[in-house]
Amino acid sequence: SFGTADKTALLTGIYLVLAVTAAVIGLVASRRLAAGVAGIAVLAALGCASVATAAGAGFADLLPTLLGVVAGGAALAILTRRLPPDRGDDGGPHPAIPETAAHDGPAPVSRRRFFLAAVGAAVGAVVAGLAGRAALAARFDVEARRRRVRLPSTASAPAGGPAPPVAPGSAPVFPGTAWVTPASVFYRIDTELAPPEVDPDQWSLRIHGLVDREITLTYLQLLHRPLVERWITLCCVSNPVGGPLVGNTRWLGVLLAPLLRAAGVHRSADQLFMTSVDGFTLGAPMAAILDGRDAMVAIAMDGQPLPVEHGFPARVIIPGLYGYVSACKWVTDLEATTFATRTAFWIEQGWVQSPQVRLASRIDVPRQGTTVRVGRPTAVAGVAWDQHVGVSKVEVQVDGGAWRRAELGGEVSVDTWRQWYLPWTPTTAGSSVLRVRAFDGRGRPQDSVRRDPFPAGATGLHAVTVHAR
């Protein structure tokens, strides 16, 4: 329902629920402190349960929640003692309380002093929270550790060699569209509110299941295996027609097929079941890994170690498959198994088990609603992709007229998208609809029927409306 704003929506809901719950606990505590403390204890139990059931959690991970409980209980006790006396509607002492009783015990504080105490408690909570985060960063900063990684050269690796050069015909020949997607803007789709921080010195990759021999690799051992560097386009199954959830970059890693063959994978294994350090699971068809394509355990993108949010220290890349069945970030476990035995996370949510990547194309320029000049040449350009099949032709249509063939950029491999470009000169003022369609490497046209991404990927032709004047 929320698309890529799902995490923001979830966190906003959490904060709102906590704020309302805290207000209720405060009201209850103002009448009976023990009941308010019990409310905090319930929240503490939920927090501790969440931490304890997280993948890889230890006792030390409970400390922030436990300290928060102590601090919250102490703040509640202090603030309730500073509550102003309850007064009637006329501003005098409550009629149910005798005048003499109102002055028994400590002198009541003013509302101003209570407000200042509450502000002080809030400031203390913020300072404590920031100090806790700083202490965590000081204990282990994965970004600093990532920057110290020195990637080996692919030139000397038996299976290696650098990636092919960028295709001829890239920008500036195709203005407004880029062949390479920088890591800083590469799409990210996962279930994590914050990327896991994994120490590469403590990380390992286990290969097991329907194999003759189990293999466990450390990060250092992975770096010293034969490496390959390939240009590969990745696409998310939830990408809408013309959407941004697709990117192309240079990946460095260890081929998966030799690893699985070294483990002696059994013929009966039809699924590679992948698990992330956070317990997230994906499942890819074993046939797609062993058919000769450049499926790999990737350790770098765009010439640098994987960014933390993109899976450092290692992730899986399988060309030709949507990310939800193949692109396992922070991977730590590979199990050779069957689809009948294990079911991965997104398959349990109703997505197709072994989807075929959809041939797709996108108009990058001009963008929706752009104003162009009558009689002035306008660049219509974008990208088209069909991973592991390739793109052979792209055509553009203006206002339902004849399809015109666009110029294609060079092709590095069938695993990468291709840029396309068509010069167009508007002849009359008014709105025009530009539509694009692609043909795959076998000459088959793109599916023009409009379908939603769920459950097997979107189909339909991307169109934009521009205004000429």
Side-chain angles (χ1 to χ4, degrees), residues 130-398:
L130 294 176
R133 290 178 180 271
L136 178 64
R139 181 175 67 88
F140 176 65
D141 183 0
V142 69
E143 182 58 36
R145 182 66 182 85
R146 187 190 76 89
R147 288 194 295 267
R148 290 197 297 269
V149 172
R150 293 295 176 263
L151 298 174
S153 171
T154 59
S156 59
V166 175
S170 303
V173 177
F174 300 95
T177 180
W179 193 76
V180 179
T181 308
S184 59
V185 297
F186 207 96
Y187 80 91
R188 173 196 166 198
I189 298 292
D190 53 58
T191 61
E192 284 298 318
L193 296 178
E197 297 198 359
V198 184
D199 185 345
D201 292 335
Q202 303 298 321
W203 175 89
S204 64
L205 178 64
R206 180 189 178 206
I207 303 173
H208 64 110
L210 298 176
V211 296
D212 294 333
R213 63 199 68 85
E214 184 174 314
I215 295 177
T216 300
L217 295 171
T218 66
Y219 186 64
L220 190 60
Q221 288 172 330
L222 195 65
L223 291 180
H224 284 85
R225 292 190 69 88
L227 299 172
V228 297
E229 190 176 50
R230 299 289 185 265
W231 293 100
I232 298 174
T233 297
L234 292 187
C235 180
C236 181
V237 69
S238 59
N239 194 37
V241 173
L245 304 182
V246 59
N248 182 63
T249 193
R250 182 166 43 107
W251 302 95
L252 174 71
V254 176
L255 290 177
L256 260 175
L259 288 177
L260 293 173
R261 293 192 176 102
V265 62
H266 297 176
R267 290 180 179 271
S268 58
D270 62 6
Q271 176 183 207
L272 183 65
F273 194 81
M274 298 166 272
T275 305
S276 171
V277 295
D278 61 353
F280 184 76
T281 59
L282 298 85
M286 190 68 74
I289 300 170
L290 301 177
D291 66 359
R293 71 185 71 192
D294 292 320
M296 67 172 72
V297 179
I299 59 171
M301 65 185 298
D302 201 19
Q304 298 294 325
L306 289 172
V308 174
E309 64 272 18
H310 288 294
F312 180 80
R315 66 176 294 173
V316 173
I317 301 291
I318 305 177
L321 299 181
Y322 284 121
Y324 81 100
V325 297
S326 67
C328 184
K329 293 185 283 191
W330 313 290
V331 63
T332 189
D333 188 277
L334 300 176
E335 180 184 359
T337 183
T338 65
F339 285 109
T341 303
R342 302 294 302 272
T343 303
F345 177 83
W346 287 117
I347 310 307
E348 292 177 338
Q349 318 309 315
W351 293 83
V352 173
Q353 181 174 270
S354 301
Q356 296 294 320
V357 171
R358 307 283 194 179
L359 169 65
S361 55
R362 185 182 72 194
I363 300 173
D364 289 338
V365 290
R367 298 188 179 278
Q368 175 70 24
T370 297
T371 298
V372 297
R373 296 292 183 182
V374 174
R376 180 178 297 179
T378 298
V380 182
V383 288
W385 62 90
D386 193 2
Q387 296 98 316
H388 207 60
V389 176
V391 174
S392 61
K393 183 173 63 172
V394 172
E395 295 179 335
V396 177
Q397 182 189 61
V398 181

